[in-house]
Amino acid sequence: MRPNDRSYMKSHEWCKIDGEIATIGITDFAVSHLSDLVFLDLPAAGTNVTIGESFGEIESVKAVNDLYAPVTGEVVEVNSELSDNLEWLSEGPFEQAWMLKIKITAQSPDLMDNQAYDAHCAAEGV
């Protein structure tokens, strides 16, 4: 069950906003379609990210996928343990498997709520 306290992108990233900080990760839908994760590349703290642009990559045995920013701002924290614990993404993509915390300067107008994201996933064939 996806949390209702987040917004979602069509590219399957989630965003939880708390004040001026956005916590970013990928959804259970993304994890299930990637399967067999082998590598994660995230930016360093201090890096600036821009809405809709790639901030990193996640690699499975099937493919390499870009990760896209749902907000613009500065990375203030990176989940540095995640790269060595990719199984966390399968076990709890909305909890311990967060990727970045970003100090927001702008957020995407295209973010979806849980219901809209569920409909989007259904349209993709799940």
Side-chain angles (χ1 to χ4, degrees):
M1 185 103 187
R2 291 185 194 102
N4 287 321
D5 63 349
R6 285 141 223 257
S7 298
Y8 300 90
M9 293 182 60
K10 287 183 178 180
S11 54
H12 307 292
E13 291 81 11
W14 59 261
C15 176
K16 180 179 180 183
I17 296 174
D18 186 16
E20 62 181 18
I21 302 295
T23 303
I24 311 298
I26 61 171
T27 67
D28 54 329
F29 182 93
V31 172
S32 69
H33 280 74
L34 289 168
S35 72
D36 299 325
L37 300 172
V38 295
F39 181 74
L40 177 64
D41 182 35
L42 297 174
T47 302
N48 289 314
V49 299
T50 303
I51 293 168
E53 292 186 9
S54 175
F55 66 79
E57 293 179 335
I58 190 160
E59 183 178 341
S60 71
V61 295
K62 293 181 188 179
V64 176
N65 291 79
D66 284 323
L67 300 166
Y68 296 98
V71 298
T72 294
E74 180 183 345
V75 177
V76 294
E77 190 176 350
V78 178
N79 187 347
S80 58
E81 294 180 29
L82 186 56
S83 292
D84 292 329
N85 297 284
L86 293 175
E87 69 277 3
W88 292 354
L89 287 161
S90 297
E91 295 166 0
F94 300 106
E95 291 86 30
Q96 67 185 1
W98 62 274
M99 295 179 172
L100 305 175
K101 294 191 181 200
I102 300 170
K103 185 174 182 181
I104 305 167
T105 56
Q107 70 184 58
S108 173
D110 298 326
L111 292 172
M112 297 177 277
D113 63 16
N114 202 1
Q115 185 175 2
Y117 181 69
D118 284 345
H120 171 69
C121 292
E124 286 197 4
V126 170

